């Protein structure tokens, strides 16, 4: 086993274990942290594939921004522990059976004979001055511009959908700022002097 | 290579999405008349643009990411026309049921853009992006009635299972990509065709996941569990939207993937589809019998119709594919009318849910009852409606490829299916209405439902033009490879 293979197996094992941890952990904060580990491990694998830009973006955007936001939300919701999974005990033997069947079949089909290092040539390592950012930038606005623009539209849709779901303008009992009223306030309204009756 | 003329319809719809968004935001308008008008105008404009570029011969565009061909254009036109009627039927519903201001129209337009990208995709990348762009707004549309618990439950179910389906599809596509080394549909087909004697098992492995993902999206047994719950739980207008145009788009995606990309694995996907199709037809038709909720009943009938559409793919000939496409278009018109009437009948604070809600519809509005009867006859496959010819051409394609046993099963379950459609007709015509008030419709809705119902009859009596159109799409030479 070469050093590269060793690193690959370490990252892969870390990724799989943390992915399982995300699903089975009862505490949502632990679940989110496991997901962070999963992202970091997959970023490591991308680095090994010489896609350093993607690996770094995964860490910066997902771990740095998205998951942090996610953790904030989980903490604010004050979910101590998820309610116990009532149906889980009843179904797990069946689930394990299906899992074993599926994984067994998948291993049988994509056995080493199809996806081994011997049958697939190892990618030629790029020279030292190879830039992943340059390679991406050369195609993303030229060859793949159509797909890139559609991805941008999907983000637009995400914004529209999120706002239309979260914006409660039509409800009567929504608490909102009335800015014109705030501006027109007078000094007397801002401060009310109360005589302290407790002490003299 | 970068021909912007060929993607004019997409560009137009995208620009109009932005215009509609800003107009809806900044222009004070009572009852969103302007938003509605602009949305419908967008669809009309896109249809005109698509017709203008219809005759340009098949070309791959944008370095093969998208393709301009007759199949894509016809599917797009079907999407525009059905969506036009969908917005027309649901206009009152959006206003009365507190589903936001212009959001339903905006989300609908975004979803239509996704469908357009999806049906003209020529690369796994655009295919997947189009699928997501189509689905995301529909999830939000389902959840737009936030004070209804049932709708939220339906939205969550739809979202999670839809994501699962996308993941399955993506897994399969990435396996095929890994084995073929290309994302381009023609190139993948060439790689598989080149070593046609012996397929690496890995292609079949990918194919299984692709078919599972497709079955999820169409809603076929055993991946159908989401469909009845979502159809029942979603607000009626959202059900109407997601039951019609997305179905056409997903069948378009199935044609792109199975017929254009993986014809080399036909023997393999044929076997998979036979199992899925038989199970869907049987389960859909039998379970629909015991339903009391009309939306749930129609949802199970959707599953059965999905099974019928697959029969055309199983036949595996040009005649079979065109029959499947004809059935899809016929089904789009039928479900458009049926869910449209359910949406039209719903009023403020009252959703049509159970079959009893239709009791004595004949006494309240005879014309609407007659239209519903035509639609249900067509769904059951009785002459002289379009549903009859759709089923007939499928059976014909099957028999000519020696799948006689499959044709027999299809016929038998179709006869069983007639029962539950006729039950609704009986309730409408022979039961006393709960509420004797006559039910009147706005002129535009009345006209739309009349056109919709008479189209069923017209294409049932003169199906020639539509059938010829579908057949021409699959003649060799019109497709890119």
């Amino acid at each position: 086993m070469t050093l590269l293979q060793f690193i690959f197996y370490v990252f892969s094992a870390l990724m799989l274990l943390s992915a399982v941890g995300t699903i089975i952990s009862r505490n949502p904060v632990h679940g989110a942290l496991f997901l962070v580990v999963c992202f970091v491990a997959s970023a490591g694998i991308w680095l090994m594939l010489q896609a350093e830009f993607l690996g770094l973006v995964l860490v910066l955007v997902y771990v740095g921004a998205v998951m942090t936001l996610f953790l904030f939300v989980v903490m604010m919701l004050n979910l101590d522990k998820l309610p116990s999974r009532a149906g889980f005990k009843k179904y797990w033997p069946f689930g394990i059976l299906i899992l074993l069947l599926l994984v067994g079949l998948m291993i049988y089909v994509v056995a080493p004979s199809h996806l081994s290092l011997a049958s697939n040539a190892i990618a030629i390592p790029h020279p030292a001055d190879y830039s992943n950012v340059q390679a991406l930038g050369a195609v993303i606005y030229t060859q793949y511009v159509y797909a890139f623009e559609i991805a941008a539209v999907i983000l637009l849709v995400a914004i529209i959908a999120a706002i239309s779901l979260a914006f409660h303008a039509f409800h009567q009992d929504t608490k909102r700022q009335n800015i014109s009223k705030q501006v027109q306030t007078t000094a007397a309204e801002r401060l009310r002097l109360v005589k302290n009756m407790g002490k003299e | 290579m970068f021909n912007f003329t060929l993607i004019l319809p997409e560009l137009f719809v995208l620009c109009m999405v932005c215009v509609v968004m800003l107009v809806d935001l900044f222009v004070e308008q009572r009852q969103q008349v302007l938003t509605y008008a602009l949305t419908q105008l967008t669809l009309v404009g896109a249809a005109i643009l698509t017709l203008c570029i219809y005759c340009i011969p098949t070309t791959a565009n944008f370095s093969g990411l998208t393709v301009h061909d007759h199949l894509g254009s016809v599917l797009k036109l079907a999407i525009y026309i059905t969506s036009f009627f969908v917005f027309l039927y649901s206009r009152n519903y959006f206003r009365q049921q507190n589903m936001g201001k212009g959001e339903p129209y905006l989300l609908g337009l975004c979803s239509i853009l996704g469908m357009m990208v999806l049906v003209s995709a020529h690369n796994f990348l655009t295919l997947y992006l189009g699928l997501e762009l189509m689905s995301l707004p529909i999830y939000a549309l389902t959840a737009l009635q936030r004070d209804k618990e049932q709708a939220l439950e339906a939205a969550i179910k739809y979202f999670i299972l839809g994501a699962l389906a996308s993941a399955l599809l993506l897994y399969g596509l990435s396996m095929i990509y890994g084995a073929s080394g290309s994302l381009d549909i023609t190139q993948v087909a060439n790689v598989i065709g080149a070593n046609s004697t012996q397929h690496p098992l890995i292609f079949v492995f990918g194919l299984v996941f692709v078919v599972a993902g497709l079955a999820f999206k169409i809603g076929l047994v055993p991946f159908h569990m989401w469909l009845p719950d979502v159809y029942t739980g979603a607000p009626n207008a959202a059900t109407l939207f997601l039951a019609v145009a997305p179905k056409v788009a997903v069948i378009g995606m199935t044609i792109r993937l199975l017929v254009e990309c993986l014809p080399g694995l036909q023997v393999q996907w044929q076997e998979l589809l036979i199992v899925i199709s038989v199970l869907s037809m049987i389960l859909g038709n039998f379970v629909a019998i015991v339903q009391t909720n009309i939306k749930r009943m129609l949802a199970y009938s959707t599953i059965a119709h999905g099974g019928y559409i697959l029969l055309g793919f199983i036949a595996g000939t040009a005649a079979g594919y065109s029959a499947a496409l004809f059935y899809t278009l016929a089904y789009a018109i039928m479900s458009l009318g049926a869910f449209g009437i359910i949406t039209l009948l719903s009023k403020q604070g009252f959703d049509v849910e159970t079959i009893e809600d239709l009791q004595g519809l004949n006494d309240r509005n005879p014309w609407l009852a007659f239209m519903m009867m035509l639609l249900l006859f067509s769904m059951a496959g009785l002459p002289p409606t379009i549903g009859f010819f759709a089923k007939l051409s499928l059976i014909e394609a099957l028999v000519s490829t020696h799948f006689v046993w499959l044709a027999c099963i299809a016929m038998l379950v179709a006869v069983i299916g007639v029962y539950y459609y006729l039950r609704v007709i009986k309730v409408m015509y022979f039961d006393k209405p709960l509420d004797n008030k006559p039910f009147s419709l706005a002129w535009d809705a009345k006209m739309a439902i009349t056109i919709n119902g008479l189209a069923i009859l017209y294409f049932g009596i003169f199906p020639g033009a539509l059938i010829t159109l579908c057949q021409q799409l699959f003649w060799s030479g019109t497709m890119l490879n």
Side-chain angles (χ1 to χ4, degrees), chain B residues 24-319:
Chain B
D24 187 58
L25 207 58
F26 287 113
V27 180
E28 282 289 327
Q29 35 175 339
R30 279 191 309 119
Q31 306 179 332
Q32 266 57 50
V33 181
L34 202 56
T35 313
Y36 169 75
L38 276 176
T39 306
Q40 298 292 50
L41 203 70
T42 308
L43 292 175
V44 174
I48 292 170
L49 285 173
T50 306
L51 279 175
C52 284
I53 58 171
Y54 183 79
C55 289
I56 298 175
T58 306
T59 26
N61 199 6
F62 279 87
S63 42
L65 286 177
T66 171
V67 66
H68 168 81
D69 59 359
H70 288 183
L71 175 68
S73 301
V74 167
L75 287 172
K76 274 182 207 171
L77 284 172
I79 290 165
Y80 305 141
I81 296 170
T82 51
S83 303
F84 185 90
F85 279 81
V86 165
F87 286 133
L88 213 160
Y89 290 148
S90 33
R91 185 180 168 201
N92 263 322
Y93 191 90
F94 287 147
R95 204 164 50 201
Q96 290 174 346
Q97 304 276 342
N98 201 12
M99 282 180 71
K101 284 168 66 196
E103 286 96 335
Y105 301 111
L106 201 53
L107 291 170
L109 274 185
C110 291
S111 179
I112 288 164
L113 180 63
M115 294 175 212
M116 294 162 70
V117 172
L118 180 61
V119 296
S120 56
H122 194 249
N123 187 301
F124 291 159
L125 205 59
T126 22
L127 195 97
Y128 179 71
L129 286 171
L131 183 66
E132 288 304 297
L133 184 54
M134 174 186 95
S135 318
L136 275 176
I138 306 181
Y139 303 144
L141 198 64
T142 315
L144 223 46
Q145 263 185 337
R146 279 158 310 185
D147 37 4
K148 243 179 88 181
E149 213 171 284
Q150 222 189 0
L152 290 181
E153 188 195 324
I156 292 282
K157 264 185 194 159
Y158 193 23
F159 177 65
I160 291 178
L161 289 174
L164 185 67
S166 298
L168 282 177
L169 187 70
L170 211 52
Y171 192 71
L173 291 181
S174 62
M175 283 294 155
I176 293 173
Y177 172 54
S180 67
S182 175
L183 286 170
D184 189 271
I185 282 180
T186 312
Q187 278 176 27
V188 172
N190 288 342
V191 168
I192 297 176
N195 47 1
S196 56
T197 45
Q198 188 189 6
H199 297 296
L201 218 47
I202 193 103
F203 278 121
V204 184
F205 180 68
L207 174 77
V208 171
F209 284 93
V210 169
V211 169
L214 287 175
F216 239 121
K217 288 286 177 192
I218 307 175
L220 295 163
V221 184
F223 307 102
H224 66 287
M225 301 306 284
W226 62 274
L227 201 132
D229 288 351
V230 171
Y231 273 41
T232 319
N236 286 353
T239 310
L240 169 65
F241 188 86
L242 71 92
V244 184
K247 275 278 174 320
V248 178
V250 170
I251 295 296
M253 172 171 82
T254 312
I255 293 173
R256 296 272 180 221
L257 275 178
L258 295 186
V259 181
E260 286 188 7
C261 179
L262 302 170
L265 300 174
Q266 198 190 20
V267 182
Q268 281 85 355
W269 55 252
Q270 217 168 26
E271 287 170 7
L272 290 171
L273 293 191
I274 286 176
V275 177
I276 294 175
S277 161
V278 170
L279 285 178
S280 304
M281 287 189 298
I282 293 176
L283 185 128
N285 274 324
F286 273 94
V287 180
I289 292 175
V290 295
Q291 301 304 323
T292 52
N293 184 314
I294 181 138
K295 277 158 80 189
R296 215 174 174 79
M297 187 202 94
L298 286 175
Y300 277 106
S301 105
T302 299
I303 296 173
H305 285 296
Y308 281 108
I309 292 170
L310 282 197
L311 291 177
F313 291 95
I314 292 168
T317 54

Side-chain angles (χ1 to χ4, degrees), chain A residues 21-181:
Chain A
T22 311
I23 298 168
I24 62 170
S25 63
R26 294 277 295 276
N27 189 327
V29 178
H30 291 175
L33 288 174
F34 270 125
L35 200 57
V36 169
V37 177
C38 186
F39 283 145
V40 172
S42 44
I45 289 183
W46 272 358
L47 282 181
M48 290 176 60
L49 292 170
Q50 304 183 342
E52 72 272 2
F53 177 70
L54 294 180
L56 290 178
V57 164
L58 188 69
V59 172
L60 283 178
V61 175
Y62 274 84
V63 179
V66 176
M67 286 315 295
T68 316
L69 216 78
F70 210 80
L71 268 178
F72 273 135
V73 173
V74 169
M75 286 171 179
M76 279 208 288
L77 285 180
N78 199 16
L79 294 165
D80 256 355
K81 281 218 173 102
L82 293 177
S84 65
R85 304 177 177 97
F88 190 68
K89 276 209 180 96
K90 206 165 73 186
Y91 292 116
W92 75 263
F94 191 64
I96 295 280
L97 187 76
I98 287 185
L99 184 79
L100 285 180
L101 254 175
L102 198 64
V103 172
L105 273 173
M106 280 160 80
I107 291 175
Y108 171 74
V109 173
V110 290
S113 57
H114 291 288
L115 284 183
S116 67
L117 282 175
S119 63
N120 291 285
I122 295 177
I124 308 147
H126 294 294
D129 60 345
Y130 170 78
S131 164
N132 187 218
V133 184
Q134 204 176 13
L136 268 176
V139 290
I140 201 164
Y141 296 114
T142 53
Q143 200 182 340
Y144 291 106
V145 66
Y146 186 71
F148 182 77
E149 291 299 330
I150 298 166
V153 178
I154 290 181
L155 290 182
L156 176 72
V157 168
I159 296 172
I160 297 172
I163 291 176
S164 59
L165 287 183
F167 185 55
H168 282 256
F170 331 108
H171 285 253
Q172 299 289 318
D173 52 347
T174 316
K175 290 189 172 63
R176 281 195 293 170
Q177 282 181 300
N178 187 341
I179 294 172
S180 55
K181 227 175 176 178

Side-chain angles (χ1 to χ4, degrees), chain B residues 380-397:
Chain B
L382 301 176
T385 55
I386 189 173
F388 170 72
F389 270 100
K391 282 206 171 65
L392 186 71
S393 52
L394 275 180
I395 303 280
E396 209 180 321

